[in-house]
Structures are given as structure tokens and as C-alpha cells.
Amino acid sequence: QQQVKQSPQSLIVQKGGIPIINCAYENTAFDYFPWYQQFPGKGPALLIAIRPDVSEKKEGRFTISFNKSAKQFSLHIMDSQPGDSATYFCAASKEQGGKLIFGQGTELSVKP
Amino acid sequence: NAGVTQTPKFQVLKTGQSMTLQCAQDMNHEYMSWYRQDPGMGLRLIHYSVGAGITDQGEVPNGYNVSRSTTEDFPLRLLSAAPSQTSVYFCASSSYGYKDMSLAKNIQYFGAGTRLSVL
């Protein structure tokens, strides 16, 4: 079964827009929620991560919003740029450094 | 600073052939894992290891074998390749088992991937 569900599958925004990618999880034992960014031909790289004891985490133009009661979390990209065009994956784990369960991925395209 | 190195980058196999995908890391990480990436399915865990001599199955282990004889290396073996194993394979590593709650610890680092086609 898909333990982490991600939407949308693809997203197109104009430069300066605020794309939002959503994820929902089922297992309440998950304790660590990272987002990974992947450029074509490259491996995923950690972008930002959050633990469930906070509702929001911001790093530069990237923000994670976390709703523990709804078992949902989302990635917001402020002032998006063409260089942000990539595939984004949410993930969840019961422990940092351990097994990651990934969402299906969102292909983001930021138009100039 | 090599990080996680995967070889080869590309491979074409015929059905029934065997091969080994290599993964090496130079960060002295205890945890290593293999994922496969398929369109619309994200990354799915194949096998993982929490240290030398210790391996376990992930979500999609069938058709794959692993071993971990050293901390640095974690090869993935396809014993008899099938077209369903056509995919992009990623190896990852991280430190593991620390109680430090800082989000800066235990980050998983991924290799650049191996693109495998089975005809």
C-alpha cells in the first residue's frame, strides 16, 4: 500500500509564483519528514526536513507546513525561479537516517 | 569528497543475464540502501543495511540480492534479469543510530544513479 501519497503529479507555474506540493501519510509512527529535490540525470538531494513537533519550517524560499492531526504536510516555494524546475519528493521515516518511504513525486516546471 | 559513487551509469542487459550494480561511500556511514525509481511511483526501497554483515529487505526485494562485507560497499545483484527490472537504481547512505535530534544529522545522501534496461 502507498503509505505516503503526494499530489499533484505535475505542476506548472510562472516565475514568481508559489507552487504548493501536498503529501499525506498514514503511519502515525513516522517521526521525520524530508523533502528531496531531483534534477534530470541526478540523484535526489535533501532540500528541507521537519519533525512533527513543529508546524512550520522555513529555509530560504522553501517552507514546510505540517499538520499532525490531519497527517498532512506540504512544501511551498516562495518567489519560484526557473532554476527550481525539478522533481520534488516528499518522504517519511520512523527514524532519521533510516528507511525512507517516498511519495510518488511532483514534476515542477517554472516558466520564465 | 566523492560521497556516494555508483557504477555503471548505464547498462543494457538481456533477459536472464546477471549483473552487479556497485555502490561505494567514503563518509563512514553505517546505513546504506538501494532504491528503484519508476515513473509515477517515486522511489521504492529494495534492500538496506545498518552496518557491515547486516542486511534486510525493503518494499520490493524480489529478484535482487545484497551483501555488506565492508562499511564502504553495498553491491546490488540481479541474478536473472527480467524486463520488469528496467528502472533507474539509486544507492543512498547516512549515519545511523544517533540520538541527536538535530535535523542536520543523519541526512541520506544519494548517488547519481544507474539506468538499467532489460531487453
Side-chain angles (χ1 to χ4, degrees):
Chain A
Q1 72 275 21
Q2 190 70 39
Q3 295 191 56
V4 179
K5 295 183 179 178
Q6 183 173 345
S7 62
Q9 199 168 8
S10 63
L11 190 53
I12 301 174
V13 299
Q14 292 295 127
K15 178 183 173 182
I18 306 175
I20 301 172
I21 304 170
N22 300 299
C23 285
Y25 64 96
E26 298 170 3
N27 192 337
T28 55
F30 288 146
D31 187 55
Y32 171 66
F33 301 88
W35 284 88
Y36 279 79
Q37 181 187 54
Q38 183 183 31
F39 293 105
K42 305 291 186 182
L46 180 68
L47 185 64
I48 186 173
I50 197 168
R51 300 191 77 97
D53 52 348
V54 297
S55 60
E56 185 175 278
K57 172 84 177 289
K58 185 178 292 188
E59 285 186 3
R61 295 184 294 107
F62 300 92
T63 300
I64 300 178
S65 297
F66 190 87
N67 186 330
K68 188 174 181 178
S69 61
K71 294 188 286 185
Q72 295 175 346
F73 57 110
S74 59
L75 177 70
H76 301 231
I77 306 175
M78 309 300 288
D79 187 27
S80 59
Q81 302 296 313
D84 297 328
S85 298
T87 300
Y88 293 82
F89 293 96
C90 64
S93 175
K94 294 179 187 178
E95 54 193 340
Q96 265 175 258
K99 292 189 290 182
L100 286 173
I101 307 298
F102 282 87
Q104 297 91 327
T106 296
E107 191 173 345
L108 172 67
S109 178
V110 181
K111 299 298 185 186
Chain B
N1 276 354
V4 179
T5 302
Q6 290 185 237
T7 55
K9 293 192 185 312
F10 303 94
Q11 184 70 49
V12 179
L13 291 178
K14 295 181 180 177
T15 297
Q17 286 184 316
S18 62
M19 81 159 294
T20 299
L21 280 63
Q22 301 292 345
C23 176
Q25 52 92 9
D26 61 358
M27 297 173 281
N28 201 33
H29 284 163
E30 300 90 347
Y31 181 86
M32 296 186 75
S33 58
W34 278 100
Y35 293 87
R36 60 177 289 174
Q37 182 176 11
D38 302 290
M41 304 193 74
L43 291 97
R44 292 180 293 168
L45 183 64
I46 304 172
H47 285 285
Y48 66 100
S49 169
V50 298
I54 306 170
T55 64
D56 206 346
Q57 296 181 350
E59 253 182 291
V60 288
N62 292 340
Y64 308 95
N65 278 357
V66 292
S67 59
R68 184 97 179 268
S69 56
T70 68
T71 299
E72 295 78 19
D73 301 297
F74 191 44
L76 179 72
R77 297 183 185 85
L78 283 69
L79 299 178
S80 179
S84 60
Q85 293 178 305
T86 294
S87 187
V88 182
Y89 291 85
F90 289 99
C91 179
S93 76
S94 67
S95 54
Y96 179 79
Y98 296 101
K99 301 304 180 186
D100 186 338
M101 301 298 281
S102 166
L103 288 170
K105 298 290 185 182
N106 299 358
I107 295 170
Q108 283 205 31
Y109 296 91
F110 283 77
T114 295
R115 186 174 295 273
L116 176 68
S117 293
V118 183
L119 307 177

